Amino acid sequence: QVQLVESGGGLVQAGGSLRVSCAASGNIFRLNVMGWYRQAPGKQRELVATITRGGSTNYADSVKGRFTISRDNAKNTVYLQMNSLKPEDTAVYYCNAEGVYYSGTSNYYWGQGTQVTVSS
């Protein structure tokens, strides 16, 4: 099992910045792709950004140029730096990670979510 614990959400004014973090723990061999997703009230969960173990990144068009995903493999932690925040960025942000076991099998895990609220 992999446990993902998010932190760093909160309330910020439009145009402001926040950084959310997600720390993974568990008896696993390594973490492959890690990412952030978000879900606004009444909407489906959507991809925000992903990052491979080697550092290749992918972003949703709506956050390109404003958000930056990064990771520290030694700490099993992924970060999302959010700048120039807009009210439409308000959502619960979820961490996702692919954990690979020593057996070679893998599974995807979700964190519990952290609320990000951007006021206008």
Side-chain angles (χ1 to χ4, degrees):
Q1 282 284 349
V2 174
Q3 293 79 43
L4 301 176
V5 179
E6 297 111 331
S7 60
L11 173 65
V12 65
Q13 288 189 333
S17 298
L18 275 177
R19 189 176 84 153
V20 290
S21 303
C22 172
S25 61
N27 187 21
I28 55 172
F29 175 57
R30 69 171 183 265
L31 294 169
N32 281 347
V33 175
M34 302 184 77
W36 289 95
Y37 293 72
R38 67 186 182 186
Q39 188 167 18
K43 294 187 177 181
Q44 289 189 334
R45 192 172 298 189
E46 64 177 5
L47 169 73
V48 176
T50 61
I51 184 168
T52 67
R53 186 171 182 82
S56 296
T57 58
N58 178 53
Y59 294 94
D61 287 343
S62 59
V63 306
K64 281 181 181 177
R66 299 188 298 122
F67 291 11
T68 302
I69 189 170
S70 61
R71 65 189 285 172
D72 185 331
N73 291 331
K75 295 181 179 179
N76 285 337
T77 300
V78 63
Y79 307 95
L80 185 68
Q81 176 67 43
M82 302 180 286
N83 298 328
S84 302
L85 282 160
K86 304 175 181 180
E88 51 264 43
D89 294 318
T90 295
V92 178
Y93 283 69
Y94 295 92
C95 176
N96 177 268
E98 180 190 14
V100 180
Y101 295 93
Y102 292 95
S103 64
T105 60
S106 63
N107 204 353
Y108 286 88
Y109 296 91
W110 291 95
Q112 81 285 355
T114 185
Q115 177 71 46
V116 172
T117 302
V118 184
S119 63
S120 57

